[in-house]
Amino acid sequence: HSLEEPRDLEPRHLTASPLSPIASVVSVTSSASAGAVGKVPSNPSLASLAVEVSKRKNSVNRSALTFAGFSTPYHSRFVINPERSRFLQRWNVISMMALVFVVVVTPVQVAIITPSFDMFFAVCAVIDFIFLVDLVLQFFIMVPKRMAVGHQMEHRQSVIVVNYLKTWFAIDFISIIPFDLLQLVPQAEQGKTMKAVKVIRLLRLLKLARVFRASRVIHRIETSASISYGRIDLLKFFVILVVITHWLANLWALTLQLVEEGDGVPRWIDAFTEQEQSIRAKTKDSPWKLYLTCLYFTTYTITSVGYGDIGPVNIVERVICTVIIIISGISWAIVLGQVCGIVANLNSSEQAFRRTMDELNHMMQDRVMPEGLRQRLRSFFLSNKAAQRRAGQNHILASMSPGLQGEVVMEINRKWIASVSFLNQIMVEAQSSDLGSLFTAFVVDVSQQLRPAVHAQSEAFGVPQELYIMIRGLVEQNERL
């Protein structure tokens, strides 16, 4: 409210703006007495302060929006917030599909397929256009910047442009150069040498620099992903292994382009030519046969099986084979180690329960407990498995804000709250009464005080003036079941 005129001051609730994902505040309790709350005194200094506050009202609102990461009318209206833009969410899907196409097709296009003006060339041109549009969009997408209190979205377009030019622009620009078209030009000109064609063919590998975009796209869709990080890492390393195998297979096929048949140098494909004299579609002339043969070679090289029926026979092939062996060994060791660690910790709650059961069995054996008690203890822990897992989730609730704690706890306990007649009546009243917020706050406070408890068979429990809500099992009270 404006403070130009004196008005009654009442304590009001502050609401964190939905424009910002988090609001960090410091609460201060005034030491003034309750009698000091009333009308604003007609003090000249306070009146001038009220006018100043009124004048700065819009400025404060703009600052709040700016801090939340949104552009205001005083800034460029074309700035895009990656956390709020639905268009950018859909564009991320298109970008990921284009990246998958580049990762899979570009190595095959460089190593095996001969470029020509056909439908495949048109598809590649569409992919290049998608990345060109994405390059332009990067000049308008907010970027996070590090601050003393955390990260803040940068809304100033001039800063966004400078930051992009200093970081990803060079890689993105190189990746959209139409090397496919450049390779077709020497084929139309008779004066060009084959060496120039080979150089341009190798330059087309620079398109793989687009893979670096994947980290930015994945970061944008991280908030909408509901899969656990353990499964994401497992999927990531599996995809990395498949991509490395695919790339190395095409790298091995590229040796046939670097050393051609007319150079008079033996090549590894010559052994297949001798074996396929009676076959019409030979391996060197069939793209899919050539790719499967190279994939077979790199697969047993990465897994260290090494059958040895395919091997390098000239210096170029030996150099590339050495590079493949080094990359394969390092990649296989890293992926294997990481996957083993991820699988071991994939279900941490199950691992913790098994450790508890092992410790329980060791304790019962060490204490020489009777067999009947051992069975009761095992039965208790096995029946209490879900309750123990959910009790271990309390630290997650403790890390939430008070408002989110109330919402989550209310959602968790809604079923049990509704089973209590007078609490259920209050919930119904909260939906129809003008004081619904107060009723809801009361039920939320009650739900936050609920604590799970598990009792063994024939165990007596109960404290006066305490409410118990039955979730599962049987309870007897005053000979009533």
Side-chain angles (χ1 to χ4, degrees), residues 339-386:
V339 168
C340 290
I342 293 171
V343 172
N345 299 319
L346 196 58
N347 195 345
S348 57
S349 61
E350 181 66 23
Q351 297 295 330
F353 175 76
R354 293 180 180 181
R355 285 195 299 268
T356 301
M357 293 299 296
D358 291 339
E359 294 174 358
L360 175 65
N361 291 325
H362 178 73
M363 183 196 73
M364 293 186 298
Q365 183 179 3
D366 185 59
R367 302 287 182 172
V368 195
M369 294 183 179
E371 187 62 28
L373 181 57
R374 293 187 183 189
Q375 292 182 0
R376 288 180 57 198
L377 288 174
R378 293 193 191 98
S379 177
F380 173 80
F381 276 90
L382 289 173
S383 302
N384 193 27
K385 181 178 179 180

Side-chain angles (χ1 to χ4, degrees), residues 82 88 92 134 138 141 216-223:
L88 201 59
N92 290 335
D134 189 75
Q138 298 304 318
I141 298 177
R216 289 175 285 173
V217 178
I218 292 174
H219 177 71
R220 293 175 195 165
I221 64 177
E222 185 178 6
T223 55

Side-chain angles (χ1 to χ4, degrees), residues 128-142:
D128 291 340
F129 177 75
I130 291 175
F131 285 107
L132 176 62
V133 174
D134 189 75
L135 183 145
V136 176
L137 286 176
Q138 298 304 318
F139 289 102
F140 303 95
I141 298 177
M142 296 181 183

Side-chain angles (χ1 to χ4, degrees), residues 233-447:
D233 291 337
L234 191 63
L235 179 63
K236 179 182 68 175
F237 285 112
F238 176 76
V239 171
I240 289 175
L241 184 61
V242 172
V243 170
I244 290 177
T245 305
H246 174 67
W247 284 3
L248 293 182
N250 289 279
L251 180 60
W252 183 244
L254 187 62
T255 58
L256 302 180
Q257 302 293 336
L258 300 178
V259 180
E260 298 185 354
E261 188 175 2
D263 294 342
V265 179
R267 305 183 301 170
W268 64 269
I269 198 67
D270 296 339
F272 290 87
T273 304
E274 297 176 358
Q275 299 173 5
E276 298 173 340
Q277 293 181 358
S278 60
I279 299 177
R280 179 178 300 178
K282 295 179 172 53
T283 301
K284 66 177 181 179
D285 300 325
S286 175
W288 70 270
K289 283 187 176 182
L290 178 60
Y291 175 76
L292 287 180
T293 304
C294 296
L295 185 64
Y296 160 74
F297 169 76
T298 54
T299 300
Y300 72 65
T301 302
I302 288 179
T303 56
S304 304
V305 176
Y307 294 103
D309 54 344
I310 300 177
V313 295
N314 58 59
I315 187 62
V316 175
E317 294 176 358
R318 291 188 181 96
V319 171
I320 293 182
C321 189
T322 302
V323 174
I324 291 176
I325 292 174
I326 294 174
I327 296 176
S328 300
I330 296 175
S331 303
W332 182 250
I334 293 176
V335 171
L336 195 63
Q338 292 291 334
V339 168
C340 290
I342 293 171
V343 172
N345 299 319
L346 196 58
N347 195 345
S348 57
S349 61
E350 181 66 23
Q351 297 295 330
F353 175 76
R354 293 180 180 181
R355 285 195 299 268
T356 301
M357 293 299 296
D358 291 339
E359 294 174 358
L360 175 65
N361 291 325
H362 178 73
M363 183 196 73
M364 293 186 298
Q365 183 179 3
D366 185 59
R367 302 287 182 172
V368 195
M369 294 183 179
E371 187 62 28
L373 181 57
R374 293 187 183 189
Q375 292 182 0
R376 288 180 57 198
L377 288 174
R378 293 193 191 98
S379 177
F380 173 80
F381 276 90
L382 289 173
S383 302
N384 193 27
K385 181 178 179 180
Q388 291 180 2
R389 182 179 68 250
R390 293 173 180 176
Q393 299 170 355
N394 290 333
H395 69 281
I396 301 178
L397 289 172
S399 62
M400 299 179 185
S401 65
L404 287 177
Q405 285 184 18
E407 289 185 37
V408 173
V409 173
M410 185 63 189
E411 186 63 30
I412 293 174
N413 299 317
R414 185 181 300 275
K415 179 180 178 180
W416 320 120
I417 292 292
S419 63
V420 181
S421 59
F422 76 93
L423 291 179
N424 185 42
Q425 185 177 358
I426 293 177
M427 292 177 61
V428 174
E429 189 72 19
Q431 298 177 358
S432 58
S433 174
D434 296 336
L435 301 177
S437 60
L438 297 179
F439 289 120
T440 303
F442 170 76
V443 177
V444 169
D445 288 340
V446 172
S447 64

